[in-house]
Amino acid sequence: MWKRLFISTLLLMSVPAAAQLSPSVARAIEKAQTLEQDAKLGEAIALLDNLSVSRAYDKAFVDRSLGVFYWQYGNNDQAIVHIQRAVDSEQLQDAQAWQTKRMLADLLLIDGQYASALQYYYPLARAIPKEKADQSEDVWLRIMQAHYQREQWSQVLKAYPDYQDVVTSTASVSALSLKLGAQLQLEQWRGATPTLKALIKREPDNKQWWRQLAGNYVRLQQPKEAISTYLLAQRQGITLEPSEQRTVAQLYANEGVPERAAQWLKRLPASEQDAQTLAQQASLWQQAREWPQAIGAWKQAVKKDSQYHWQLALMQIQQGEYQQALTSLEHADKGASDKDIALAKVQAHYKLKQYEQALKQARLAKQIAPDDAVESWLTFLKKRQQMQKS
C-alpha cells in the first residue's frame, strides 16, 4: 500500500513540476523514472545522486524524487533525509508541498518516529487542499495509528470524531480496531460494545470480534447478552473453542439453567472430558433433575477418578438402583468417610430387604462414630429383627 501511494504520488506530480524544472533536470528526472520502471532502481538513484543541481527548486524536486526511490530501494533512512530536505527547502508549493509533507509523515510513521510524524500529520489534516480532499480520511487514520503506537489511548479516541467527520461512507475496520483497542485499554466497556457491533457488521466472519463482544458483556455483567452473542456467532458459522464452550456453560449455570449448561459441557470434545468436567456435568444434570443423565455422567467420571464413586452411589440409591449402589460404595473410600459409607450401605441393604447386612453396617457405623442417626437405624433394625423372629 505504501509503495503504491508513493509511486502514484511521484508520477502525478512529475508532469506539472516539469514546467518549473530546468530542462536538464527535467530530462534527468524522466530518465530516472524510466530506469525505475525498468527495475533499474540503483541506476536511477545513482543518476540523481550524481546530478549537479544549482537552482533551489530543482534541488527540492530531486531530493523529493530521491526520497521516493530510496524508499522503494529499502533505505528508509536516506528516504527520510531527502524528503526532509525537500520539505525544509520550502520550495514546493500548495498541493505539491502538502503531498511531500504527507510523504514525510508517512515515512516517519513507518520508521517508528511517531511523535515526529504527528508534528506533520496534524497541520496536514487541518489544511488539506481541495484536490487532496480524498486523503483526509487516511491522514486522520494515520494520526490515530501514531497515537495508538505511543499508547496514548485518550488521544486515539479524541482523534476518532475528526476521522469520522471526513469519512465518505462508513468507518473502516482499521479505524474501528484502533478505537476499540483504546477503549479496552481504558476499560471503557460500555463504549466498546457499539464499536464491536460495528466491527461485526463489517466483518461478520471474524471470530475475534464475536469473542471480544461476548467477553465485554461478561465484564458488564450482562450474561444473557453474552450467551446470545455466542449463539449468534455459532449461527454465523464461527466454531467456539472449548474454553468458550465452558464459558457458555458457566453462564447458563449462573442464570439457573443447569440443563443447558450440562448440554454445553457434554458437547465438549473427548479430549476435554476429564473427570472434573464430567463431575461438573453430572452435578448440573442433577440440578436439572435429569437423573439418568446424571448417573451416566457420574459413571463416566468414576472411570477417570475413583473419588466420584460416592456421588454415583448416592444417585443410584436415590434412583432405586440399590445393588449397583452397593458395588459403587465398595470403591467410595476416597469420596466419603467410613461412617457415611456404612450408613449408605445400611439404606441400600434395607431397601433390598437384606436386614441382617443392614444391621451389621449400622453396628459398624456406631463403632466408628455413634450419633442419633446411627441409633435410630439400630433401634429400627433391631425392632424389625424382633418382629421377624416373633
Side-chain angles (χ1 to χ4, degrees), residues 255-274:
E255 284 297 285
V257 192
E259 184 177 359
R260 291 283 181 87
Q263 287 170 348
W264 275 83
L265 290 180
K266 190 175 182 179
R267 294 188 198 122
L268 287 168
S271 59
E272 294 287 323
Q273 297 287 356
D274 57 18

Side-chain angles (χ1 to χ4, degrees), residues 81 83-91 104 120:
V81 167
I83 296 293
Q84 186 78 63
R85 285 177 187 170
V87 168
D88 292 346
S89 72
E90 298 184 355
Q91 292 297 308
L104 177 59
Y120 286 98

Side-chain angles (χ1 to χ4, degrees), residues 80 84 103-114 116-117 120:
I80 290 172
Q84 186 78 63
M103 291 168 62
L104 177 59
D106 288 345
L107 280 168
L108 292 168
L109 182 67
I110 294 170
D111 200 51
Q113 299 182 47
Y114 306 117
S116 298
Y120 286 98

Side-chain angles (χ1 to χ4, degrees), residues 66-329:
L66 274 169
V68 175
F69 289 152
Y70 269 119
W71 181 83
Q72 289 178 260
Y73 201 66
N75 191 332
N76 279 16
D77 291 341
Q78 282 299 311
I80 290 172
V81 167
H82 286 281
I83 296 293
Q84 186 78 63
R85 285 177 187 170
V87 168
D88 292 346
S89 72
E90 298 184 355
Q91 292 297 308
L92 305 177
Q93 301 298 318
D94 303 325
Q96 190 181 72
W98 187 93
Q99 188 64 56
T100 306
K101 290 176 183 177
R102 164 73 197 276
M103 291 168 62
L104 177 59
D106 288 345
L107 280 168
L108 292 168
L109 182 67
I110 294 170
D111 200 51
Q113 299 182 47
Y114 306 117
S116 298
L118 285 166
Q119 290 178 358
Y120 286 98
Y121 277 131
Y122 273 109
L124 287 166
R126 289 166 181 148
I128 297 179
K130 289 182 180 179
E131 56 268 45
K132 301 297 179 183
D134 60 337
Q135 294 187 33
S136 301
E137 178 180 337
D138 200 49
V139 170
W140 279 110
L141 180 61
R142 298 287 174 258
I143 288 172
M144 290 175 66
Q145 288 174 334
H147 281 304
Y148 192 93
Q149 291 296 332
R150 300 192 73 200
E151 300 184 0
Q152 296 173 326
W153 316 121
S154 295
Q155 292 299 103
V156 173
L157 298 181
K158 187 177 178 181
Y160 185 80
D162 293 300
Y163 162 84
Q164 208 167 26
D165 286 344
V166 297
V167 170
T168 53
S169 54
T170 56
S172 68
V173 169
S174 296
L176 287 167
S177 298
L178 291 168
K179 181 183 179 184
L180 174 65
Q183 288 172 322
L184 295 180
Q185 289 290 338
L186 294 171
E187 298 185 0
Q188 296 182 4
W189 313 126
R190 292 194 182 280
T193 298
T195 307
L196 282 161
K197 287 182 177 179
L199 283 163
I200 287 172
K201 188 174 181 180
R202 286 156 183 73
E203 292 186 340
D205 296 328
N206 190 327
K207 181 177 180 178
Q208 177 184 356
W209 309 138
W210 290 101
R211 176 186 288 131
Q212 289 186 309
L213 179 58
N216 207 47
Y217 281 130
V218 171
R219 291 190 191 96
L220 289 168
Q221 297 183 348
Q222 296 176 314
K224 291 180 180 177
E225 288 79 1
I227 291 170
S228 296
T229 301
Y230 281 121
L231 294 178
L232 286 170
Q234 275 199 321
R235 289 175 196 162
Q236 185 62 36
I238 303 293
T239 301
L240 300 186
E241 298 294 331
S243 60
E244 292 166 327
Q245 291 177 262
R246 289 180 187 277
T247 298
V248 177
Q250 189 61 56
L251 288 168
Y252 271 124
N254 293 345
E255 284 297 285
V257 192
E259 184 177 359
R260 291 283 181 87
Q263 287 170 348
W264 275 83
L265 290 180
K266 190 175 182 179
R267 294 188 198 122
L268 287 168
S271 59
E272 294 287 323
Q273 297 287 356
D274 57 18
Q276 187 175 359
T277 299
L278 290 164
Q280 185 183 2
Q281 186 186 138
S283 295
L284 289 165
W285 286 125
Q286 283 182 224
Q287 292 175 41
R289 298 182 179 276
E290 295 287 346
W291 314 123
Q293 296 272 37
I295 289 175
W298 284 123
K299 284 180 177 178
Q300 292 181 60
V302 299
K303 290 178 181 178
K304 303 200 175 199
D305 193 331
S306 61
Q307 70 169 306
Y308 298 114
H309 273 104
W310 172 246
Q311 288 89 340
L312 173 59
L314 293 179
M315 275 301 305
Q316 289 169 327
I317 290 172
Q318 179 185 313
Q319 292 305 109
E321 299 179 7
Y322 304 115
Q323 195 60 57
Q324 295 92 325
L326 286 169
T327 302
S328 298
L329 288 168

